[in-house]
Amino acid sequence: MSDTRDLAEAESVQLTSELIRIDTTNTGDPATVVGERAAAEYVAEKLAEVGFDTTYVESGAKGRGNVFARLEGADPSRGALLVHGHLDAVPADPSEWSVHPLSGAVQDGYVWGRGAVDMKDMVAMTLATARRFQRDGVVPPRDIIFAFLADEEAAGDYGSQWLVRNRPELFEGATEAISEVGGFSITVKDDVRAYMIETAEKGIAWLKLRVRGRAGHGSMVHEDNAVTKLTQAVARLGTHKFPLVLTESVREFLAAMSEITGMEFDEDDLEGAVGKLGAVARMVGATIRDTANPTMLTAGYKANVIPSVAEAVVDCRVLPGREAAFERELDEILGPDVEREWVAKLPAVETTFDGALVDAMTASIVAEDPGARTVPYMLSGGTDAKAFDSLGIRCFGFAPLRLPADLDFAALFHGVDERVPVDALKFGTRVMDRFLRSC
């Protein structure tokens, strides 16, 4: 057994590196998207090598590849577990990196490259574990659906959202799911680690703003300038602080951290409480209020021409239950002259931190890191869980990694020099193996 375990651990590192070297850059623009087909075909080949029957689906556009495989469990009457990961990655500028972002370099104890933590690492750990199960004839306690998906980085229109609308039979029988941005460790005291399990995530609302004015010559006095009116509205929105809100997920997280560390997290001073959390304070701090960050501006075509239209895009992230209140505040901040158009709008997702699946996550981590604690938390971003929640599937973030205490993990997502520790990949593969044997 140790031989196959060692092989799976080594494979997880190799697979991560090889997946990074397959360019799956997702710009969000169909004209410049590379597509996931090459990576999907690679995954399908690795599964077929050990005897899996796979299903390849192109979702809505040529080259947007998705791969599915199902491993039958001992009890077909139980709901299936969906293990899903996305194959696409955000763009990266090689001039900013220490290594080429598509190198998949294995050096200095890390695997480097775009997608290393978001999320070709979990794809690789899942793939290595699935291959081991098939080689060793492991029968899990329930059916497991392995899904490797396109387009998560652009809200899933050519991936999970399309599949849920057009191919829901691929997820037949699934009642629970695991995927990215959960199960990673933070060191809280004296070599004690808390592993953050994602049980909730904010809603995504990408908003296009448009202001119309009177076109004219740039040399004239002009009181109906679309650029001026838009930038004033964008500045109001970008500097606005939405109210502090303590959701149940964040309350549970702070209570668990208080128990582990002995520190007090005063609910009457939420920002101060979160500020005590060190490296994860930025991540958790984004889950105690709605946010609206301007990200794009478009206007004009010549230096001396005042344009008649100016546009901006704002990335809004909304807490569970805050949708109506958030839109009312938008109206007040932007005023009547600013047109609004939702480019993408996906709801918040939230579940409870309890049940047999959570127990299995905890047991699998503690078996590899005695004394570890698991804690629930809310993700400020979004994942493919938003699509699967609409099918009634209970979704968690669980891509286990034991991380160095001094690693700023949150900064690696979409960041320069994205990388994942080799030891963390091997740890995560061992945990994933234990978890899927007991799920």
Side-chain angles (χ1 to χ4, degrees):
M1 285 292 283
S2 62
D3 289 345
T4 59
R5 184 192 71 182
D6 293 346
L7 174 60
E9 290 180 27
E11 279 193 345
S12 70
V13 177
Q14 180 181 348
L15 292 166
T16 302
S17 175
E18 292 178 357
L19 283 162
I20 289 169
R21 293 204 293 270
I22 301 171
D23 187 359
T24 55
T25 300
N26 188 350
T27 61
D29 178 0
T32 56
V33 164
V34 173
E36 298 84 358
R37 180 172 184 169
E41 290 176 340
Y42 169 89
V43 168
E45 179 184 348
K46 292 298 180 183
L47 291 169
E49 278 180 0
V50 293
F52 277 102
D53 291 327
T54 63
T55 300
Y56 176 85
V57 179
E58 289 201 350
S59 46
K62 187 177 180 180
R64 310 311 300 268
N66 305 264
V67 173
F68 296 83
R70 192 168 188 132
L71 183 61
E72 291 187 3
D75 184 357
S77 69
R78 289 187 60 195
L81 175 69
L82 172 63
V83 182
H84 62 98
H86 64 84
L87 299 170
D88 60 325
V90 297
D93 181 353
S95 68
E96 298 177 332
W97 285 57
S98 301
V99 302
H100 194 283
L102 298 180
S103 68
V106 183
Q107 62 187 49
D108 303 323
Y110 288 83
V111 184
W112 298 68
R114 177 58 84 220
V117 298
D118 188 12
M119 60 170 296
K120 294 181 178 182
D121 58 340
M122 184 181 175
V123 170
M125 292 189 294
T126 301
L127 196 51
T129 304
R131 283 165 59 85
R132 182 186 181 188
F133 277 25
Q134 193 77 332
R135 282 192 299 257
D136 292 354
V138 174
V139 178
R142 63 202 287 196
D143 284 8
I144 300 174
I145 303 169
F146 297 107
F148 305 91
L149 307 173
D151 200 37
E152 189 275 344
E153 295 293 359
D157 285 344
Y158 295 99
S160 60
Q161 297 288 341
W162 186 94
L163 290 160
V164 163
R165 290 192 303 268
N166 294 277
R167 297 294 302 275
E169 75 279 3
L170 292 167
F171 311 100
E172 185 178 353
T175 56
E176 294 172 305
I178 63 164
S179 190
E180 60 180 327
V181 207
F184 60 92
S185 71
I186 56 172
T187 301
V188 291
K189 65 169 186 176
D190 301 329
D191 202 36
V192 173
R193 280 164 293 278
Y195 288 79
M196 298 174 65
I197 311 295
E198 187 214 311
T199 58
E201 56 188 53
K202 295 171 79 174
I204 296 174
W206 292 339
L207 178 64
K208 179 176 282 189
L209 305 178
R210 186 180 296 109
V211 171
R212 304 180 190 277
R214 191 177 74 253
H217 198 290
S219 67
M220 302 291 183
V221 174
H222 203 90
E223 296 178 354
D224 189 21
N225 188 314
V227 175
T228 301
K229 290 192 290 185
L230 176 72
T231 53
Q232 288 172 341
V234 167
R236 290 195 301 272
L237 182 57
T239 56
H240 177 74
K241 279 200 168 184
F242 289 87
L244 292 168
V245 177
L246 183 61
T247 60
E248 190 57 35
S249 297
V250 176
R251 179 179 283 110
E252 279 192 76
F253 170 76
L254 293 176
M257 293 301 291
S258 179
E259 183 181 340
I260 295 168
T261 64
M263 291 191 295
E264 293 295 325
F265 295 98
D266 187 356
E267 293 187 6
D268 293 329
D269 180 19
L270 273 181
E271 288 182 299
V274 169
K276 299 176 183 179
L277 295 171
V280 296
R282 187 168 68 256
M283 180 183 285
V284 178
T287 65
I288 57 176
R289 56 163 43 100
D290 303 326
T291 57
N293 286 310
T295 55
M296 299 172 70
L297 288 168
T298 306
Y301 50 88
K302 198 171 186 297
N304 62 348
V305 177
I306 297 170
S308 59
V309 178
E311 295 181 336
V313 175
V314 184
D315 185 353
C316 307
R317 305 296 171 123
V318 185
L319 290 167
R322 274 277 305 170
E323 291 83 358
F326 178 79
E327 292 202 32
R328 284 196 298 272
E329 283 191 59
L330 278 183
D331 287 338
E332 294 172 5
I333 296 163
L334 296 174
D337 294 333
V338 181
E339 300 173 19
R340 286 168 33 196
E341 175 189 347
W342 296 111
V343 179
K345 197 173 185 184
L346 299 172
V349 174
E350 191 167 26
T351 189
T352 53
F353 189 60
D354 55 18
L357 197 70
V358 170
D359 293 342
M361 292 179 199
T362 300
S364 64
I365 285 177
V366 170
E368 295 295 334
D369 186 4
R373 294 286 302 275
T374 56
V375 299
Y377 90 106
M378 179 186 293
L379 177 67
S380 61
T383 74
D384 284 327
K386 295 187 183 305
F388 302 128
D389 180 73
S390 70
L391 294 177
I393 298 172
R394 189 179 181 212
C395 297
F396 296 89
F398 187 67
L401 296 170
R402 176 172 167 169
L403 299 171
D406 59 351
L407 181 67
D408 187 354
F409 186 59
L412 298 177
F413 286 82
H414 299 189
V416 172
D417 285 343
E418 183 181 349
R419 61 199 183 276
V420 62
V422 168
D423 287 345
L425 278 171
K426 293 180 176 180
F427 171 88
T429 304
R430 295 194 301 273
V431 171
M432 187 71 74
D433 184 289
R434 290 181 182 274
F435 170 68
L436 293 181
R437 289 174 191 260
S438 61
C439 64

